[in-house]
Amino acid sequence: MTDSSTDLGYETYDYDVVIIGAGGAGLRAAIEAAAVDVRVAVVSKSLLGKAHTVMAEGGIAASLGNVHHDDSWEVHYADTMRGGQNTNQYRMAEIFAKEVPDRVFELERWGALFDRTPDGFIMQRAFGAHTYNRLCHVGDRTGLELIRTLQDRAVHTGVDFFMETTITRLLKDGGVISGAFGYRRTDGRCVLFRTKSVVLCSGGWGRIYKVTSNSWESTGDGLAMAYEAGAELMDTEFVQFHPTGMVWPPGVRGILVTEAVRGEGGYLYNSKHERFMLEYDPKKKELSSRDVVARSIYREVQAGRGSEHGGAYLDVSHRGADYIKRKLPSMYEQFLTLADVDITRQPMEIAPTVHYAMGGIRVDPESAATTVRGLFAAGEAAAGLHGSNRLGGNSLGDLLVFGRRAGASAAEYARAIASAPLVHTSDIQAEQALLLAPFSPKESPENAYTIHEELQTVMAEKVGIARDADRLQDALAAVQRLRRRAANIAVSGSRVFNPGWHMARDDHFMLLVAEAITRAALERTESRGAHWRTDYPDKDESLGRINFVIRKVDGFMEVSRQATPQPPVELESLVAA
Amino acid sequence: MTQAALESPAEGGETAATSRRFLVYRGDSNDGQMVEYSVPTLEGMVVLDAMHWIQAHVDGDLAVRWNCKAAKCGSCSAEVNGTPRLMCKTRVDVIVGDIWVQPMKAFPLIKDLVTDVQWNYEVNREIPPFTPPADVPSPWRVQQQDVERLFEFRKCIECFLCQDVCHILRDKNEKARYYGPRFMVRQAYLDMHPMDVRDRTGQIKDESGIGMCNITKCCTDVCPEHIHITDNAIIPLKERVVDEYFDPLLWAARRIRGRRQKKRPSSR
Amino acid sequence: MTVEVGRPPALRSQLNLWKPLWWAYPTWVVTALSAFGIYAFFAMIQKAGFAYPYLSPFYSPHIVISGLPISPAFYVAWVPLGFRLTCYYYRKAYFRSFLWEPPACAVADRPGRYTGETRLPFVLNNFHRYFLYVTLVVLGFLWYDAIRAFDFHGHFGIGVGSGIMLLNVVLLSGYTLGCHALRSLVGGGIDCYSCSLAAQGRHRAWSGVSLLNNRHALWAWASMFSVAITDIYIRFLIHGVFADPRWVS
């Protein structure tokens, strides 16, 4: 038991594959890696089964064709590419659309339970910008079903779990991954994992925004660590605002209201009781893609037609109380207990909330390998599948398809190298210095929570739904100022379960991520998908086939342009059709 | 109204008016006491909001476990005024007087409101995994009618409030002899699943210790997902154990006719 | 601004004392069950439970064995007693209220070793279904009695007593047919309902029992009181306290 803030001891573990994150991608990767004869560890910041995946409500998009028999992987591919405005890595979208159905069946064989069609097959619901009813679901808690199934499967595969353990630095030997270093949240002791490969399944970074559906975990650790380790980041400017988050009361602002409400027939109204989506997208209406719906709500509010607390109204009451309680039970409960709103009789008040990061660590579509040897990434932490806008329901499939591929690749890689590369003590010392700095006295001490709150304000005001060059430049300057102040963060208490201390390290991650988003957003001088520049309101076709890639060069963040790989003609024609 | 909702939550202004007195357990496995905090309240505030306010403004090291803040992950379990509750789902305005917040009693304390719930994960590992028939390929054809009653069990968010309130674990600390309500729900799901072929009754009776439960229903009372743990999971499992071990007529029937093969759904 | 309440171990058990009104339920159960038990005993030793055409439920089925000094009520008393003692609802009631294991949720148990239903006598609760079987037979007699209560010397009639007896048997049926053991026996033990026609029928039966089972506690209390009220009414008639208002065709 260590209580001393200056204790430099650490525990050492040896593995072949270390998976960071125990959400859907991490658990799926673990199951796959464990199928090979390698030692696998899963390290997660929370308890098992609590990862942000549980918040996914709507379902898993897979072209099973149980409701519409015309559905096929080709249609799913085309929907995904169109949703992402063709900035997607086409090969990822292709692999994804082809493999998702098998991943769903596999889940069922592992004990998952989906709603059924009258014939006894997996029920599929409609969702934004999907051509057919495609989302395999169970009520409005599909994410919980997915994570519980994977969790119960994974605990029987011989994988070791390190719960409530935060990894803060990836270690390398030359250009090759050799370990991961961090601390146990429960007692504050440092831990070193010597490993041949690392899989980052660390999720997104919604917490850098004030109004977000994300939990405290989504602080972008994986993105920041990968960047520091020399990996390339991509598409970071694309941050998804989910159109429907809760608005009132203040404590619940940002909590997700599932797209399934619209999938089950919900209408959006402004304060004049106009179904404004009929104006903005007469064809898909409420089930347009998320970027379009979020922007439409924003515009309504700007035009003075917003709801009482600055959002819009979402009404599903016409579907009847029984139907709502059966298909949207947790939404019903959530509004009743937290907002005193009975959604079977009253409309919900909603507004956009930061939900998902399309961008992330750049990976190889086939193997999920990053640009650093021995480092793999999957799930929300990885970039490429969703392009400039993710379709609802494509995230859970992403976790399964690429989680599996990342786990397999990491295990294969680890087996191919004879012995683990070296871990350098100097790297460990540097990380410990950074970790423990908040415990040493400061001349002008800063509060970790305050830094976080100010960063959230900056991001919300300057790098939100609507962006322009001036505000982005302001944001960049503000982030730099906050970074200087973050060096003076001081915390009280011991290292035993000390959230203030945890936040201190998270602040560094989040500041780095904020900078990556802002820099890429400045470079993309057009509006596309989730990225909306009010000073460049139109698409620029010359940027349409470009991805912005970020990496660390001489200690600085460098943004470069990378041509988006062009799909072969047969795939191209699917999208055009 | 402006774009406030889109960019920053309203703070203070028309809603912040009063403050409430919170008594929060602060301490670790060695020592601790109730510490008083005065927290300004906002409309619709939940107990977890108050804990966050304390972290950001008074004691940054107040240990609280939480994730989703929407009653979907089951992390923020604690005891509010003596009742096991999710802090994110407990509205401050429904509580009269002082608000006491204490850690779950059934588990060893780590610090403040955070307890060591590792034991639950060890129990889960002891339960044999879902075992479908090897000869039925995917995709399966399973009727809604056959799985309707199972959905309830899958709502469990593993907050462990039922484990906390169960007197067998909480008061008698018989963790070696009883798995607790959460894992009766888990086993009910597996045992009633039409595609699970494993015989689980022996495990349910012996290792799980279902006989320890005396059906006092506190688990059902505290479940934030409103799962009828006792009526729909524990009692049906007890009856299945009776079928196998306490019913001489059924036992004789099995001896005479032999064990009948259970019928299973088919695939496409 | 620290409030000293005590050292952690003491403090964490004090938590248990923090529930206002936790004693209300156990007090009610002990009072109600004791009162019923005492009343039932006195009713049964009366050796008289018949006021034509009404038969007290304590005395049904009416078995007369001449020469034995015991009240005929005791020949059948073990059936409802055993059924209710092993009933899943009454188990909650007495484990909480009489045995204090625990007296209320998150309130400390009675100190001492706890074995739940793994040892004698409580392991016998597992034979609840056998009490169900005989109770179903007795329930048949009670229906017979209730129908007989409309037969006044060969003429159909309705008295206040007929109504009470009918209500009593309806409540008893609601309680008995909502039994957890019955719920399991008729269909709860099946894993695949769609696999055969028979199983589909049993699914319907299971759904019906489940409907009654939802409010099993309510049925349990209501039927217990209706038995007492029926007996009280008939006892008043036996002793001629008042005459039964009735209409006979």
Side-chain angles (χ1 to χ4, degrees), chain A residues 46 50 57 109 111 116 119-120 145 152 156 164 215-216 251 253 309-310 333-334 340 460 496 500, chain B residues 5 7 9 60 65-67 69 72-73 89 91 111 124-125 127 136 141-142 144 154 157-158 186 189:
Chain A
S46 283
K50 310 294 182 196
E57 291 158 352
R109 290 198 73 79
R116 317 304 298 184
D119 294 340
E145 188 67 25
D152 289 336
H156 291 289
E164 301 197 309
S215 79
W216 67 266
R253 183 157 288 173
H309 302 104
E333 172 93 18
Q334 181 175 313
D340 299 323
V496 177
Chain B
E7 296 191 342
R65 201 181 257 137
W66 71 284
N67 277 58
K69 211 182 152 321
K72 288 189 173 60
C73 74
K89 221 184 152 184
R91 291 266 295 257
K111 188 185 148 193
N124 190 37
R125 207 186 282 247
I127 297 172
V136 185
R141 198 163 175 175
V142 173
Q144 184 87 11
R154 295 299 272 186
I157 54 175
E158 295 201 330
R186 167 119 185 90
Y189 174 75

Side-chain angles (χ1 to χ4, degrees), chain B residues 38-237:
Chain B
S38 178
V39 179
T41 51
L42 287 172
E43 188 181 334
M45 190 185 207
V46 294
V47 172
L48 184 60
D49 291 326
M51 299 303 108
H52 286 158
W53 188 90
I54 293 168
Q55 284 183 332
H57 298 95
V58 189
D59 281 337
D61 64 336
L62 170 66
V64 180
R65 201 181 257 137
W66 71 284
N67 277 58
C68 75
K69 211 182 152 321
K72 288 189 173 60
C73 74
S75 299
C76 60
S77 305
E79 304 197 354
V80 180
N81 285 11
T83 310
R85 301 276 306 181
L86 290 180
M87 286 188 278
C88 70
K89 221 184 152 184
T90 305
R91 291 266 295 257
V92 167
D93 53 16
V94 302
I95 302 171
V96 184
D98 292 349
I99 298 160
W100 289 54
V101 191
Q102 291 164 294
M104 288 195 283
K105 180 173 181 284
F107 306 111
L109 185 66
I110 292 174
K111 188 185 148 193
D112 303 340
L113 302 177
V114 175
T115 51
D116 179 1
V117 293
Q118 176 71 31
W119 173 76
N120 295 289
Y121 292 94
E122 284 156 19
V123 169
N124 190 37
R125 207 186 282 247
E126 284 177 33
I127 297 172
F130 179 74
T131 314
D135 56 344
V136 185
S138 295
W140 291 337
R141 198 163 175 175
V142 173
Q143 303 301 324
Q144 184 87 11
Q145 181 188 47
D146 296 322
V147 291
E148 192 77 63
R149 62 179 168 172
L150 302 182
F151 290 118
E152 180 185 14
F153 304 141
R154 295 299 272 186
K155 278 160 57 184
C156 174
I157 54 175
E158 295 201 330
C159 61
F160 305 129
L161 288 173
C162 58
Q163 305 285 82
D164 178 45
V165 83
C166 176
H167 69 116
I168 305 164
L169 310 175
R170 177 192 184 89
D171 214 76
K172 299 302 184 191
N173 199 19
E174 290 277 15
K175 295 193 175 79
R177 297 176 65 205
Y178 184 49
Y179 278 2
R182 159 52 189 141
F183 297 103
M184 296 301 142
V185 170
R186 167 119 185 90
Q187 293 187 103
Y189 174 75
L190 293 168
D191 204 53
M192 294 180 194
H193 198 299
M195 297 303 276
D196 184 81
V197 294
R198 192 184 286 265
D199 184 358
R200 298 173 182 275
T201 321
Q203 162 97 13
I204 290 165
K205 174 176 170 281
D206 298 325
E207 287 88 340
S208 314
I210 196 165
M212 290 294 279
C213 170
N214 63 350
I215 345 173
T216 41
K217 279 201 166 175
C218 291
C219 50
T220 306
D221 288 353
V222 300
C223 179
E225 287 291 312
H226 311 299
I227 302 170
H228 295 85
I229 302 175
T230 319
D231 286 316
N232 290 347
I234 297 181
I235 294 176
L237 287 186

Side-chain angles (χ1 to χ4, degrees), chain A residues 341-452:
Chain A
V341 169
D342 178 354
I343 67 168
T344 65
R345 296 189 292 110
Q346 298 161 276
M348 299 161 242
E349 198 180 351
I350 53 89
T353 178
V354 171
H355 184 57
Y356 189 85
M358 270 72 73
I361 304 159
R362 191 179 177 203
V363 291
D364 169 54
E366 314 285 337
S367 65
T370 68
T371 48
V372 171
R373 279 191 63 207
L375 184 63
F376 302 80
E380 190 176 352
L385 170 60
H386 307 294
S388 62
N389 175 58
R390 175 174 73 83
L391 299 191
N394 269 1
S395 173
L396 292 184
D398 176 13
L399 306 181
L400 297 169
V401 169
F402 294 102
R404 173 178 161 277
R405 283 178 167 259
S409 310
E412 196 183 317
Y413 168 86
R415 262 160 51 114
I417 56 175
S419 60
L422 292 175
V423 163
H424 297 281
T425 332
S426 55
D427 295 338
I428 295 173
Q429 284 163 348
E431 181 55 30
Q432 284 188 315
L434 186 56
L435 264 179
L436 301 180
F439 286 108
S440 57
K442 300 286 184 309
E443 254 175 48
S444 52
E446 293 281 352
N447 181 332
Y449 294 98
T450 310
I451 300 275
H452 179 216

Side-chain angles (χ1 to χ4, degrees), chain A residues 95-424:
Chain A
I95 291 172
F96 166 76
K98 282 179 177 166
E99 291 186 4
V100 171
D102 283 339
R103 299 286 79 76
V104 172
F105 295 141
E106 181 178 81
L107 274 187
E108 200 170 44
R109 290 198 73 79
W110 293 346
L113 187 60
F114 296 98
D115 281 347
R116 317 304 298 184
T117 65
D119 294 340
F121 299 118
I122 294 173
M123 187 66 171
Q124 300 185 276
R125 69 157 52 110
F127 233 59
H130 286 283
T131 306
Y132 299 112
N133 284 32
R134 190 178 281 149
L135 265 75
C136 311
H137 64 277
V138 46
D140 53 3
R141 45 164 195 82
T142 316
L144 174 66
E145 188 67 25
L146 182 141
I147 203 162
R148 192 69 75 238
T149 303
L150 293 176
Q151 170 191 345
D152 289 336
R153 175 82 184 179
V155 297
H156 291 289
T157 54
V159 171
D160 291 335
F161 289 94
F162 292 81
M163 298 197 293
E164 301 197 309
T165 303
T166 306
I167 296 295
T168 53
R169 183 178 296 232
L170 302 176
L171 306 175
K172 290 201 307 181
D173 181 26
V176 183
I177 286 291
S178 63
F181 190 82
Y183 63 92
R184 267 206 306 262
R185 304 176 77 84
T186 44
D187 61 8
R189 257 189 93 75
C190 288
V191 283
L192 165 67
F193 294 91
R194 289 192 294 226
T195 178
K196 294 174 186 169
S197 68
V198 168
V199 186
L200 286 169
C201 300
S202 47
W205 34 92
R207 290 311 286 190
I208 65 173
Y209 285 89
K210 193 156 241 167
V211 178
T212 176
S213 64
N214 289 190
S215 79
W216 67 266
E217 289 195 286
S218 305
T219 50
D221 317 10
L223 192 86
M225 286 190 287
Y227 169 82
E228 294 290 357
E232 290 180 356
L233 316 180
M234 193 172 75
D235 294 342
T236 47
E237 69 273 28
F238 297 123
V239 174
Q240 180 165 73
F241 287 78
H242 194 291
T244 58
M246 289 176 82
V247 178
W248 192 257
V252 303
R253 183 157 288 173
I255 292 180
L256 186 64
V257 178
T258 174
E259 189 166 328
V261 175
R262 284 172 288 138
E264 299 294 351
Y267 298 139
L268 284 166
Y269 294 106
N270 61 21
S271 60
K272 297 180 164 170
H273 204 70
E274 295 160 341
R275 258 185 88 189
F276 55 85
M277 284 313 295
L278 298 178
E279 294 270 318
Y280 293 102
D281 188 344
K283 201 158 151 246
K284 297 186 213 148
K285 301 183 273 278
E286 276 82 359
L287 286 179
S288 185
S289 61
R290 287 177 175 175
D291 53 336
V292 174
V293 181
R295 244 187 328 267
S296 305
I297 295 170
Y298 182 88
R299 285 196 167 114
E300 287 299 301
V301 175
Q302 292 296 302
R305 296 189 290 271
S307 64
E308 190 185 348
H309 302 104
Y313 296 106
L314 174 61
D315 194 353
V316 73
S317 58
H318 57 278
R319 295 309 306 259
D322 286 348
Y323 187 81
I324 293 168
K325 284 182 197 171
R326 194 171 74 247
K327 294 304 262 187
L328 303 164
S330 65
M331 282 302 110
Y332 173 71
E333 172 93 18
Q334 181 175 313
F335 273 90
L336 204 60
T337 49
L338 299 178
D340 299 323
V341 169
D342 178 354
I343 67 168
T344 65
R345 296 189 292 110
Q346 298 161 276
M348 299 161 242
E349 198 180 351
I350 53 89
T353 178
V354 171
H355 184 57
Y356 189 85
M358 270 72 73
I361 304 159
R362 191 179 177 203
V363 291
D364 169 54
E366 314 285 337
S367 65
T370 68
T371 48
V372 171
R373 279 191 63 207
L375 184 63
F376 302 80
E380 190 176 352
L385 170 60
H386 307 294
S388 62
N389 175 58
R390 175 174 73 83
L391 299 191
N394 269 1
S395 173
L396 292 184
D398 176 13
L399 306 181
L400 297 169
V401 169
F402 294 102
R404 173 178 161 277
R405 283 178 167 259
S409 310
E412 196 183 317
Y413 168 86
R415 262 160 51 114
I417 56 175
S419 60
L422 292 175
V423 163
H424 297 281

